[in-house]
Amino acid sequence: MSTLSPNAKGYILTLSCPNRPGIVAALSQTLYEAGANITEAQQYDDVGSGSFFMRIMFDIVKGKTTEAELRALVDVMAGQFGMEYRLNCQSYRPKVVIMVSKFDHCLVDLLYRWRIGELPIEPVGIIANHPEETYKDIDFYGIPFYHLPITKETKVEQEARILSVVDGSGADLVVLARYMQILSNDMAAALSGRCINIHHSFLPGFKGARPYHQAYERGVKLIGATAHYVTRDLDEGPIIEQDVERISHADSPDDLIRKGRDIERRVLARAVRYHIEMRTIMNGNKTIVFVS
Amino acid sequence: MSTLSPNAKGYILTLSCPNRPGIVAALSQTLYEAGANITEAQQYDDVGSGSFFMRIMFDIVKGKTTEAELRALVDVMAGQFGMEYRLNCQSYRPKVVIMVSKFDHCLVDLLYRWRIGELPIEPVGIIANHPEETYKDIDFYGIPFYHLPITKETKVEQEARILSVVDGSGADLVVLARYMQILSNDMAAALSGRCINIHHSFLPGFKGARPYHQAYERGVKLIGATAHYVTRDLDEGPIIEQDVERISHADSPDDLIRKGRDIERRVLARAVRYHIEMRTIMNGNKTIVFVS
Amino acid sequence: MSTLSPNAKGYILTLSCPNRPGIVAALSQTLYEAGANITEAQQYDDVGSGSFFMRIMFDIVKGKTTEAELRALVDVMAGQFGMEYRLNCQSYRPKVVIMVSKFDHCLVDLLYRWRIGELPIEPVGIIANHPEETYKDIDFYGIPFYHLPITKETKVEQEARILSVVDGSGADLVVLARYMQILSNDMAAALSGRCINIHHSFLPGFKGARPYHQAYERGVKLIGATAHYVTRDLDEGPIIEQDVERISHADSPDDLIRKGRDIERRVLARAVRYHIEMRTIMNGNKTIVFVS
Amino acid sequence: MSTLSPNAKGYILTLSCPNRPGIVAALSQTLYEAGANITEAQQYDDVGSGSFFMRIMFDIVKGKTTEAELRALVDVMAGQFGMEYRLNCQSYRPKVVIMVSKFDHCLVDLLYRWRIGELPIEPVGIIANHPEETYKDIDFYGIPFYHLPITKETKVEQEARILSVVDGSGADLVVLARYMQILSNDMAAALSGRCINIHHSFLPGFKGARPYHQAYERGVKLIGATAHYVTRDLDEGPIIEQDVERISHADSPDDLIRKGRDIERRVLARAVRYHIEMRTIMNGNKTIVFVS
C-alpha cells in the first residue's frame, strides 16, 4: 500500500498513554510542524482501563525534519502525556528468529513469504530442537541454524543459549513456528512482547497437548488456530489472530491435522505481518490490532 | 429438494448397528424388493467404536408396499443386524415445543421460518419462565403458551410441569431457544436425544454464564455459537452445529451480544433443520450430521 | 460502544476533500479548541483520486461549544480545505423508508432489529407494490403503509408518488428490502446516495433477474448477497457489504433461495447499520466503509 | 481416513448412468458377492438430467476377488445399466504434470504438500513458459522440467509439444498452477476432464485478465479464487471449488494479489485432492463433488 514519493521518508509511530483530551490535537500539530503528511491513523480508547492507543503512518519530505529531530519532538510529547511509544522507519526490516520442531509447514511458509518479498523481514536465525538434517528439504539461504535440543536436565542451559542467540542476533521478534517445547517462565518473561506463538486450536478451547485429538474427541464442527504473544501463562497470552475451518464427523484426527496446517500457516503469517507492520499493541492480556 | 412424484410416498430411514459386511447389500436388496427408489443415501463407519450409521431417503409408488409392510421388512433386518432405526414419512411434520427466557431473537426466528414454510414443523407449545406479556410483540398464532417460572424452591415441580407439557403435547423435539435456566440432571436425562440447546459461545470455550463477557475478557478474535443435544452434562452435549464471526478489540461486550444474536439464530435454525430432516444421529458424545 | 458521559453530547463527523498536508492537524486543533474529546477516528487517502476521507466521533461537554457554534467552526475549515462534510449528533435516529415486494424476510428482519433497539432508526414509511394484506402477519406498529403497485403504464406517476412519500416523510434513507421493481434512471438519480439495495447474488456475478437460478445453472460452490447504494446503473452501485455461504451440487434452486435469505438479511442489516452510523462514504463507484 | 486392514485391498469406484430403480441394490449385491466391505458411499440424482452418480469406497480381503475379476463384474453391471465408471485402487498415486508461469506460489505449495505426503500424487513433469532459472529457488527433486515458451507464432507447435509431454509421461492429471497462457480450443479439448485450472477470481465475476485489478476497480468487499476443469470455454469450465476472503477499501491491488495467493493455494490444493480421491464427477458444465 506504500505510495511513498521517492524523496520522502516514511515512519510508523505507535503509542499508548492515559486517555485525556488533546492528545490527538497535540500530536497532529507536532507532526504537522515537523512537515509530516499523515497517511494512515487509527486510535482506540479502552474505556475500562482509561488508556489511549494510536498508530500513525506518515511521510516527511527529505531535507526537512530528520529522524533524530523527530524522536526529540515525540519525546517531548511522550513526557507531557506519559506516553510509551515506538517509532520506526517504514522501510525497516525487523530481524526475526524462527524456532521450530519436527513439523516444518509454518517455517517453510514464512521462509517462502520472505523469499518472494511478501514479508519484509530479515531472518537472522533458525533454532530447532531437532538436528539440521531434519530440514534437509528446506533451503535456509545461509540463515544461521542452531540445533538446541532440550531435555529436562538441559532445559535451563539450553534456554540460556537460545536467549543468547536471540539477543546476539539482534532479533526484534521470535516466532515459535510450531516449536513444541514449553518455555520456562523465565524464558517466556524474557521474550514477552517480542515472541509470537502459533497454537493449533481455537483458544481458549483445547489448550495444551494434542489439540486436534482433543477436538476430535469433543466432536466440534469447526477447528481453528490461534497466534498469540508469549507470556508467562502458557496458551493464555494476548491473542493476535485466529481463524477456523469446517470439519465433519467423518474427519479423522489425521484429517484435522491436515486441515489445521492450512489454518496455522495463514494465521501465523497474518500475526507476524501485523506485528512487523506495527499494527499490534499489547493491552494487558489482550492485543489491539489496527487492521485497515 | 423433494422431487417426489405425486403418486409416490417418500420415507427417511436412519439406522445404526455394529459394523459388518453386507449391511448395505441386504438393506438395498430389501428396499428394492419393496419397490423403493433410493434418492439419497449417506453412511459412516465409526472405526473407533465399530459402529455403522446410515441415512436413506427413498420413494415407494402408491399401491405397492404400505408403510406397515415396510416397517415389518425393516424390523426383520433390524433383528438380523442388531439395528436401531427410525423410519418416517418425508411429509411428517415433527411436533416442537420451544422454550425461551427473556431474549426472544431465536424464538422469533424459528417462528418466522415456520410461518413462511421454511421449517416444516408443528409448534405445539411455547414454555417461558417469563410472563406472556414479555412477548407481547410476538404473534403466537394460537400456539399454547405456558408461563412456568422457576425458583430454587419450585424447580422440581416446575420441571415436572414442563415435562408434562412436553409429553402431553406429543412433542418430538424440545428447542431451548435461549432458555436460560439450567436443567436438572433428571430433566436433562428425560429429554436426552430430543432436546436441542443453543449455547452462545464456540464450545468448548466459554462454558457457563455470560460467555460474551468471558470472550471479551479473553480477547478472542472470533466469537461463535453452538447448537447441541442436551444431555446430563451441561454444555457438554453432542454438538450439532457451530459457526463464528470475526470481532475486533474495539467491540464491546454489547457489540459481541449483538453480533452473537445473528450467529445464534442461524446455528440453531440449521441444527433444528438437520434434526427434523433426520440428518443427525447421536454417537456417544458426538453427533453425526449427514449434510448433502 | 457508546461510553458517553451523561453531561456530554456526542457527534459524528465525516468529510472528504482533496488531500494535502495539514488537514488532520487543523481539524484536531479546531476540535480541541471547541472542547471536543475524540473517541474514534479513521481516515483514508485515495491515492488514485488524490482525495482524503475521514470519520471522527467526539464528545463535547455540555455548556461548552454548542452544535451551532460547532457547525460554524467546521464550516470555516470546510471552506479552507474544499471539504464536503456531514455532522450529526450520535443520538440522531435517521428516518427510514423501507420498500418491499412479496418476499418479506428482509423487512421483517429490519423491523425486528429496530423493535429490540439494535438498529437506532425511525421507520417513517413502508412502501410495497403488493397490497397490505400480503403482509398481514407483520406488525407495522403504526408505521404508515403505502400500496403503490407499478405497471409499465403507471411507472412514471407511481415513482413520483414514491418520491413524494419519501420526501414528505423526511426520510434520510430508503432501504430496498427485496423490492423487485427496477427503478427508472430518474428515480435512481433522485435517491442516489440515500438508498441501499440488497441484491441476492455476489456481485458482479449474476446481475439481473433470478440470480439463484443463474448460480444453480453455473454450478458455483458459494452463493452470496450484496448491499449497495443505488445509482443509475442497475446492480452497478457502490458496494457496501457482501457475504457468502457454501453450497453443494446437491442444493436445488430452492435450497439456494433458502440459504440466501440468511445471507441477504445479515448483509442488508450490516449495510444499513454502517450507513446510519455514518461509517460509509461514497467514493465514485466504490464505498469507503470505516469499520472499527 | 484410511483404516484399511493390511490384508485387504481398497478400491474407489465412481459411476454415472441414467437413473432407474435398482441400481444401488444391484451394485451393492454385486459388491457383496465379490466380498467387498463398503466403507464410504455417496450418491446424487440429478433430477434435471435424469442421471445418477455414485462414489463408493470398499475393501476386498486379499485372496478373494482379484482386481481383474472385479472389473469383469462391474463391466457386466455397466452394460446392464448403461454406466460409465472409473475404478482405481485406493493406493494408486495419480501421475501429475504441473504447468506454471512466473508466479510460483501454487507450484511451491503443491510440491510441498506432495513432499510431506499430504497429496498422494506422482509428479511426472513441470512445464513452464519461463526458463528453469526462473524457479531456481525451488527444489524439483528430479521431476523433469520442460521450458516451452509460447508466442503467437509458435503456439500450435508448442501446444503439440506440451501434449506430447503430458501423454508421454502417462499423466492422469494436468494442473494449471497459475499458468498464464490461454489454451487453444484444441488443446483444451484434448485435456478436457483431466486438467484443473486455478482462476484468481470468484467466478463468474472477473473473468479474463488481471482479475484482482478488476476487483479493485469494482470495489467488491470479498475476493476469491476458483478451481475448475478446463474445457473449451475459457473460465467457463465446471467449477470444483471456490473460496473467498474479506478485503476493504484500504486494500490496494497489490494487497489483493497478496491475499489472493493464500486463497488460490488452498482452493487449488483442495480441488486437486478432490480429483485424485475421485470425489469429483463432471456433470455437463457442473462438477459433482462428494465431500464427506
mmCIF file of all heavy atoms in Angstrom, chain B residues 66-84:
data_model
loop_
_atom_site.group_PDB
_atom_site.id
_atom_site.type_symbol
_atom_site.label_atom_id
_atom_site.label_comp_id
_atom_site.label_asym_id
_atom_site.label_seq_id
_atom_site.Cartn_x
_atom_site.Cartn_y
_atom_site.Cartn_z
ATOM 1 N N THR B 66 -46.986 -50.994 1.650
ATOM 2 C CA THR B 66 -47.534 -49.983 2.564
ATOM 3 C C THR B 66 -46.506 -49.657 3.642
ATOM 4 O O THR B 66 -45.515 -50.370 3.820
ATOM 5 C CB THR B 66 -48.796 -50.502 3.258
ATOM 6 O OG1 THR B 66 -48.415 -51.605 4.102
ATOM 7 C CG2 THR B 66 -49.836 -50.961 2.249
ATOM 8 N N GLU B 67 -46.801 -48.610 4.405
ATOM 9 C CA GLU B 67 -45.869 -48.236 5.472
ATOM 10 C C GLU B 67 -45.751 -49.355 6.504
ATOM 11 O O GLU B 67 -44.659 -49.641 7.003
ATOM 12 C CB GLU B 67 -46.341 -46.928 6.135
ATOM 13 C CG GLU B 67 -45.358 -46.450 7.180
ATOM 14 C CD GLU B 67 -45.652 -45.043 7.690
ATOM 15 O OE1 GLU B 67 -46.409 -44.319 7.020
ATOM 16 O OE2 GLU B 67 -45.127 -44.685 8.751
ATOM 17 N N ALA B 68 -46.868 -49.994 6.816
ATOM 18 C CA ALA B 68 -46.835 -51.085 7.805
ATOM 19 C C ALA B 68 -45.987 -52.246 7.297
ATOM 20 O O ALA B 68 -45.168 -52.817 8.035
ATOM 21 C CB ALA B 68 -48.258 -51.549 8.112
ATOM 22 N N GLU B 69 -46.188 -52.579 6.030
ATOM 23 C CA GLU B 69 -45.381 -53.666 5.453
ATOM 24 C C GLU B 69 -43.886 -53.302 5.456
ATOM 25 O O GLU B 69 -43.027 -54.142 5.735
ATOM 26 C CB GLU B 69 -45.839 -53.943 4.017
ATOM 27 C CG GLU B 69 -47.211 -54.607 3.941
ATOM 28 C CD GLU B 69 -47.840 -54.544 2.534
ATOM 29 O OE1 GLU B 69 -47.314 -53.777 1.686
ATOM 30 O OE2 GLU B 69 -48.846 -55.228 2.308
ATOM 31 N N LEU B 70 -43.645 -52.046 5.147
ATOM 32 C CA LEU B 70 -42.260 -51.570 5.118
ATOM 33 C C LEU B 70 -41.616 -51.721 6.492
ATOM 34 O O LEU B 70 -40.482 -52.209 6.620
ATOM 35 C CB LEU B 70 -42.251 -50.100 4.673
ATOM 36 C CG LEU B 70 -40.899 -49.441 4.475
ATOM 37 C CD1 LEU B 70 -40.133 -50.099 3.337
ATOM 38 C CD2 LEU B 70 -41.075 -47.949 4.172
ATOM 39 N N ARG B 71 -42.342 -51.294 7.517
ATOM 40 C CA ARG B 71 -41.797 -51.407 8.871
ATOM 41 C C ARG B 71 -41.503 -52.872 9.227
ATOM 42 O O ARG B 71 -40.497 -53.189 9.877
ATOM 43 C CB ARG B 71 -42.775 -50.821 9.891
ATOM 44 C CG ARG B 71 -42.768 -49.305 9.903
ATOM 45 C CD ARG B 71 -43.542 -48.695 11.050
ATOM 46 N NE ARG B 71 -43.619 -47.255 10.857
ATOM 47 C CZ ARG B 71 -42.640 -46.409 11.209
ATOM 48 N NH1 ARG B 71 -41.558 -46.851 11.791
ATOM 49 N NH2 ARG B 71 -42.770 -45.114 10.973
ATOM 50 N N ALA B 72 -42.387 -53.737 8.789
ATOM 51 C CA ALA B 72 -42.173 -55.160 9.075
ATOM 52 C C ALA B 72 -40.886 -55.649 8.411
ATOM 53 O O ALA B 72 -40.095 -56.383 9.022
ATOM 54 C CB ALA B 72 -43.383 -55.970 8.583
ATOM 55 N N LEU B 73 -40.671 -55.218 7.182
ATOM 56 C CA LEU B 73 -39.452 -55.619 6.468
ATOM 57 C C LEU B 73 -38.200 -55.092 7.165
ATOM 58 O O LEU B 73 -37.205 -55.812 7.325
ATOM 59 C CB LEU B 73 -39.494 -55.087 5.021
ATOM 60 C CG LEU B 73 -40.477 -55.773 4.077
ATOM 61 C CD1 LEU B 73 -40.620 -54.993 2.771
ATOM 62 C CD2 LEU B 73 -40.017 -57.204 3.788
ATOM 63 N N VAL B 74 -38.265 -53.808 7.565
ATOM 64 C CA VAL B 74 -37.099 -53.219 8.228
ATOM 65 C C VAL B 74 -36.875 -53.887 9.585
ATOM 66 O O VAL B 74 -35.736 -54.106 10.010
ATOM 67 C CB VAL B 74 -37.252 -51.689 8.359
ATOM 68 C CG1 VAL B 74 -36.054 -51.100 9.104
ATOM 69 C CG2 VAL B 74 -37.378 -51.043 6.987
ATOM 70 N N ASP B 75 -37.988 -54.246 10.250
ATOM 71 C CA ASP B 75 -37.858 -54.930 11.539
ATOM 72 C C ASP B 75 -37.068 -56.234 11.411
ATOM 73 O O ASP B 75 -36.243 -56.564 12.268
ATOM 74 C CB ASP B 75 -39.247 -55.237 12.130
ATOM 75 C CG ASP B 75 -39.833 -54.039 12.860
ATOM 76 O OD1 ASP B 75 -39.051 -53.168 13.312
ATOM 77 O OD2 ASP B 75 -41.083 -53.951 12.966
ATOM 78 N N VAL B 76 -37.331 -56.951 10.351
ATOM 79 C CA VAL B 76 -36.608 -58.207 10.127
ATOM 80 C C VAL B 76 -35.109 -57.941 10.018
ATOM 81 O O VAL B 76 -34.282 -58.578 10.683
ATOM 82 C CB VAL B 76 -37.133 -58.906 8.849
ATOM 83 C CG1 VAL B 76 -36.229 -60.100 8.486
ATOM 84 C CG2 VAL B 76 -38.568 -59.345 9.041
ATOM 85 N N MET B 77 -34.782 -56.951 9.188
ATOM 86 C CA MET B 77 -33.371 -56.587 9.027
ATOM 87 C C MET B 77 -32.758 -56.110 10.335
ATOM 88 O O MET B 77 -31.610 -56.419 10.657
ATOM 89 C CB MET B 77 -33.256 -55.453 8.017
ATOM 90 C CG MET B 77 -33.306 -55.928 6.599
ATOM 91 S SD MET B 77 -32.394 -54.754 5.584
ATOM 92 C CE MET B 77 -30.909 -54.534 6.529
ATOM 93 N N ALA B 78 -33.534 -55.322 11.075
ATOM 94 C CA ALA B 78 -33.038 -54.774 12.331
ATOM 95 C C ALA B 78 -32.692 -55.903 13.288
ATOM 96 O O ALA B 78 -31.670 -55.864 13.992
ATOM 97 C CB ALA B 78 -34.070 -53.825 12.942
ATOM 98 N N GLY B 79 -33.544 -56.936 13.290
ATOM 99 C CA GLY B 79 -33.258 -58.074 14.143
ATOM 100 C C GLY B 79 -31.983 -58.790 13.711
ATOM 101 O O GLY B 79 -31.129 -59.139 14.532
ATOM 102 N N GLN B 80 -31.855 -58.921 12.426
ATOM 103 C CA GLN B 80 -30.722 -59.653 11.855
ATOM 104 C C GLN B 80 -29.377 -58.971 12.153
ATOM 105 O O GLN B 80 -28.387 -59.620 12.463
ATOM 106 C CB GLN B 80 -30.972 -59.704 10.347
ATOM 107 C CG GLN B 80 -30.075 -60.591 9.534
ATOM 108 C CD GLN B 80 -30.452 -60.488 8.046
ATOM 109 O OE1 GLN B 80 -31.536 -59.971 7.688
ATOM 110 N NE2 GLN B 80 -29.585 -60.969 7.189
ATOM 111 N N PHE B 81 -29.383 -57.624 12.059
ATOM 112 C CA PHE B 81 -28.122 -56.889 12.184
ATOM 113 C C PHE B 81 -27.966 -56.163 13.528
ATOM 114 O O PHE B 81 -26.999 -55.438 13.725
ATOM 115 C CB PHE B 81 -27.998 -55.866 11.043
ATOM 116 C CG PHE B 81 -27.716 -56.479 9.704
ATOM 117 C CD1 PHE B 81 -28.747 -56.780 8.821
ATOM 118 C CD2 PHE B 81 -26.410 -56.789 9.331
ATOM 119 C CE1 PHE B 81 -28.480 -57.338 7.583
ATOM 120 C CE2 PHE B 81 -26.140 -57.343 8.096
ATOM 121 C CZ PHE B 81 -27.171 -57.635 7.209
ATOM 122 N N GLY B 82 -28.947 -56.324 14.428
ATOM 123 C CA GLY B 82 -28.841 -55.607 15.701
ATOM 124 C C GLY B 82 -28.958 -54.109 15.536
ATOM 125 O O GLY B 82 -28.269 -53.327 16.174
ATOM 126 N N MET B 83 -29.841 -53.712 14.651
ATOM 127 C CA MET B 83 -30.005 -52.295 14.293
ATOM 128 C C MET B 83 -30.954 -51.559 15.234
ATOM 129 O O MET B 83 -31.982 -52.103 15.616
ATOM 130 C CB MET B 83 -30.716 -52.204 12.936
ATOM 131 C CG MET B 83 -29.828 -52.025 11.768
ATOM 132 S SD MET B 83 -30.843 -52.084 10.260
ATOM 133 C CE MET B 83 -29.571 -52.584 9.110
ATOM 134 N N GLU B 84 -30.619 -50.319 15.537
ATOM 135 C CA GLU B 84 -31.627 -49.353 15.969
ATOM 136 C C GLU B 84 -31.973 -48.507 14.759
ATOM 137 O O GLU B 84 -31.083 -48.120 14.009
ATOM 138 C CB GLU B 84 -31.092 -48.467 17.077
ATOM 139 C CG GLU B 84 -30.891 -49.210 18.384
ATOM 140 C CD GLU B 84 -30.357 -48.270 19.452
ATOM 141 O OE1 GLU B 84 -30.740 -47.076 19.424
ATOM 142 O OE2 GLU B 84 -29.560 -48.726 20.277
#
